[in-house]
Amino acid sequence: MVDNRQDPLRLPTARPLDEADIREFASNVRGQLIRPEDDGYDEARAVFYGGIDRRPALIVRPKDATDVSRVVALARETGIELAIRSGGHSVAGHGTTEGGIVLDLSEMKALEIDLEGRTAWAQTGLTAGEYMAAVGAHGLATGFGDTGSVGIGGITLGGGVGYLVRKHGLTIDDLLAADVVTADGRLLRADAKTHPDLFWAIRGGGGNFGVATRFHYRLHEVDSIVGGMLILPATPEVIASFVAEAEAAPEELSAIANVMTAPPMPFVPPEAHGQLIIMAMLVYAGEEVDEGERAIAPFRALAKPIADMVKPMRYPEIYPPEEEDYHPTAVARTMFLDAVDLPVAETIVEHLQASSAQMAVAQIRVLGGAMARVSAEATAFAHRKRRIMVNVAALYERPDEAAVHEPWVRAFAAALSQGDGGAYVGFLGEEGEERIREAYPGSTWERLEEIKGRYDPTNLFRLNQNIRPAAQPTSDAVS
Ligand SMILES: Cc1cc2nc3c(=O)[nH]c(=O)nc-3n(C[C@H](O)[C@H](O)[C@H](O)COP(=O)(O)OP(=O)(O)OC[C@H]3O[C@@H](n4cnc5c(N)ncnc54)[C@H](O)[C@@H]3O)c2cc1C
């Protein structure tokens, strides 16, 4: 195979920022600058996952797209590593850098809702929970994931698999346009008509193509739902039947089964603590409460629930407040499966029971529905026909435990593998190029390399699940 990728040597060799760089830069931006000697530096450099302890030379919180463009220029001119952070939940810790610049979008949270047109323009410093609280006040929703503190930046660019996946598809299926600052510093509007190649690539291709400053989303009427947490005992039979019920359920219902050891939480009766449970999250996003209750009934009938908190609620309530200082250390592996039948469920139970981690989990997400009706070529997320996504993870306390939990995760993932695994880019850790390629099957990878070559030929945006730029004829520059 011909390797037509170019070495990213056209950026200057990285050099440390000096006082003159910082002074000049500071005089040109409106946003906040935070340096190692400043108060609040340690808080500002922290990301969601624990065990990621990097010390950036500069953290910038831009106020607007012009500031973003200036940060991009500083990285381009100095060659210094640039981390882009929206909600800071990157599994690989890509929201921070050792010695580089962090572009932290958390001050850019403007949201304009067009109630009549049923759309919203959202700046990318918003979290999914913040966005949902604001649009949910109008009985409207765009589908994000299962966690409110995840940034809309990272989850949208990766695809976005959540509680509305079967009813309304991925987050990117509701993305109508985006404003993107590209490597040359320009602010481009990408949509189906303008820069359609860029628009295709950012719907699943991650942060490789520029800094998204705003997204334009479609809004759906999702006011009341029947949903919440249902805890069941996790025997192999219950796990396999749960997945079968979730596949057979109406598309209004999306289900996530977290198979794990019961934590000592107030809603788990003490006798269940330490037992293997399914902590399921169910969302029925249909019109009628009765129909929702009917759709949930088969899950309740699988075994005597340990706890049942499924009820009619307003959709934003599915994102409860989170502990701000929760920074788990984790090792994880993501894959797609075709089936979770009894033998697979037995494998899941066996491996979870063998783990010594503080928390070991197999998260099973049943896909299909609206997500599967979009063609694999329509966006850079090509796993449209995959039926089930599984993430296995060990959460632990001390860094030296990694030596035990990493082989456990690898062995568990290998035992579950059903051949053509694939990967969802949003859940990839630092796992190497082979695994990044698994996120982009078929011709998706080559197309992404080619588009990367046109919009980011020097690989300025490289601290991500990186797609290296294909060499471009000079006449192919983007205009
Ligand atoms: C607890 C938890 C729950 C999750 N649940 C789900 C889920 O239910 N469904 C799902 O699909 N995913 C889920 N994810 C995965 C999540 O979507 C990805 O980790 C995502 O990248 C996080 O986005 P972020 O903005 O919070 O992270 P960040 O660390 O801020 O960003 C991650 C990467 O995305 C890129 N990026 C972010 N914002 C921008 C931007 N504005 N412009 C350009 N590039 C940008 C950068 O490359 C950055 O390194 C979950 C992750 C965690 C930790």
Side-chain angles (χ1 to χ4, degrees):
M1 199 166 68
V2 180
D3 186 353
N4 67 343
R5 294 167 308 184
Q6 57 194 27
D7 235 8
L9 290 180
R10 286 160 55 191
L11 281 176
T13 307
R15 62 166 175 83
L17 292 174
D18 59 28
E19 284 306 314
D21 294 322
I22 305 257
R23 252 198 323 276
E24 200 198 327
F25 177 71
S27 68
N28 277 319
V29 291
R30 298 200 302 133
Q32 189 189 7
L33 272 56
I34 305 169
R35 300 175 65 190
E37 60 275 21
D38 292 335
D39 288 347
Y41 172 77
D42 281 329
E43 257 178 25
R45 73 190 176 90
V47 286
F48 174 77
Y49 276 108
I52 296 168
D53 183 24
R54 296 183 197 138
R55 301 186 63 83
L58 178 66
I59 299 167
V60 188
R61 293 190 173 141
K63 285 267 186 233
D64 54 26
T66 308
D67 275 1
V68 169
S69 174
R70 297 208 161 113
V71 179
V72 169
L74 182 65
R76 193 177 57 234
E77 283 152 19
T78 58
I80 202 166
E81 185 171 74
L82 179 62
I84 315 294
R85 185 193 305 169
S86 170
H89 279 55
S90 159
V91 179
H94 288 151
T96 187
T97 150
E98 185 60 45
I101 305 168
V102 173
L103 192 166
D104 171 357
L105 289 152
S106 61
E107 290 291 311
M108 290 177 56
K109 290 185 188 280
L111 178 63
E112 291 163 33
I113 307 171
D114 175 358
L115 290 176
E116 238 165 72
R118 292 271 188 276
T119 64
W121 273 105
Q123 280 189 325
T124 50
L126 286 161
T127 64
E130 289 165 343
Y131 174 95
M132 266 316 304
V135 303
H138 303 280
L140 300 171
T142 303
F144 291 99
D146 66 357
T147 302
S149 55
V150 166
I152 65 166
I155 192 167
T156 304
L157 296 167
V161 185
Y163 294 131
L164 302 178
V165 64
R166 283 158 55 82
K167 171 80 173 157
H168 294 302
L170 302 173
T171 307
I172 49 172
D173 299 333
D174 282 329
L175 188 68
L176 303 169
D179 286 345
V180 183
V181 173
T182 45
D184 56 10
R186 287 185 305 159
L187 178 64
L188 301 183
R189 170 70 46 88
D191 60 26
K193 294 215 172 94
T194 324
H195 301 293
D197 51 353
L198 179 61
F199 188 50
W200 176 88
I202 60 168
R203 285 176 294 162
N208 272 286
F209 304 91
V211 184
T213 57
R214 293 203 305 167
F215 291 130
H216 193 206
Y217 295 110
R218 183 183 295 116
L219 289 164
H220 301 278
E221 278 181 55
V222 183
D223 196 2
S224 291
I225 59 157
V226 181
M229 188 186 289
L230 177 69
I231 303 185
L232 298 168
T235 63
E237 290 74 16
V238 176
I239 296 168
S241 307
F242 184 101
V243 173
E245 291 298 349
E247 290 202 285
E251 284 181 12
E252 282 75 11
L253 192 138
S254 294
I256 303 177
N258 296 296
V259 187
M260 59 198 276
T261 313
M265 290 180 123
F267 49 83
V268 180
E271 61 276 15
H273 293 175
Q275 302 296 309
L276 215 53
I277 56 164
I278 302 178
M279 189 183 274
M281 292 301 298
L282 300 168
V283 168
Y284 177 88
E287 308 266 297
E288 302 293 332
V289 170
D290 286 1
E291 285 168 19
E293 295 288 355
R294 263 200 301 283
I296 303 282
F299 297 91
R300 289 182 162 136
L302 290 174
K304 185 169 180 289
I306 295 168
D308 184 350
M309 288 170 274
V310 179
K311 58 179 196 302
M313 61 166 79
R314 300 205 37 264
Y315 182 56
E317 290 174 46
I318 205 75
Y319 295 115
E322 293 169 43
E323 271 177 57
E324 268 188 28
D325 51 2
Y326 179 58
H327 295 289
T329 304
V331 51
R333 185 100 174 169
T334 183
M335 73 201 83
F336 292 100
L337 298 184
D338 298 323
V340 175
D341 54 14
L342 197 55
V344 175
E346 278 163 359
T347 306
I348 290 173
V349 167
E350 244 168 61
H351 281 264
L352 289 175
Q353 282 173 338
S355 169
S356 60
Q358 188 184 31
M359 186 187 284
V361 57
Q363 181 185 69
I364 307 168
R365 294 170 182 242
V366 172
L367 308 173
M371 164 190 156
R373 282 194 288 277
V374 176
S375 104
E377 290 77 39
T379 66
F381 180 103
H383 300 288
R384 295 288 182 170
K385 298 290 182 219
R386 301 315 296 262
R387 290 171 61 184
I388 299 165
M389 179 158 75
V390 173
N391 302 314
V392 297
L395 279 69
Y396 54 94
E397 273 182 335
R398 299 189 328 270
D400 63 326
E401 289 181 63
V404 178
H405 303 311
E406 274 170 11
W408 173 83
V409 160
R410 269 201 305 275
F412 191 0
L416 288 177
S417 170
Q418 294 173 353
D420 182 13
Y424 169 45
V425 74
F427 284 125
L428 274 183
E430 204 68 87
E431 298 175 38
E433 184 175 313
E434 278 290 297
R435 287 284 285 158
I436 304 173
R437 290 185 82 130
E438 284 187 44
Y440 302 112
S443 57
T444 310
W445 179 258
E446 283 74 27
R447 192 168 169 196
L448 284 168
E449 282 184 322
E450 191 269 321
I451 297 170
K452 173 83 173 179
R454 277 186 289 126
Y455 287 91
D456 184 16
T458 63
N459 207 5
L460 174 71
F461 302 109
R462 61 189 176 280
L463 188 59
N464 45 37
Q465 301 297 350
N466 196 232
I467 295 154
R468 285 208 280 147
Q472 299 291 318
T474 27
S475 58
D476 261 13
V478 179
S479 54

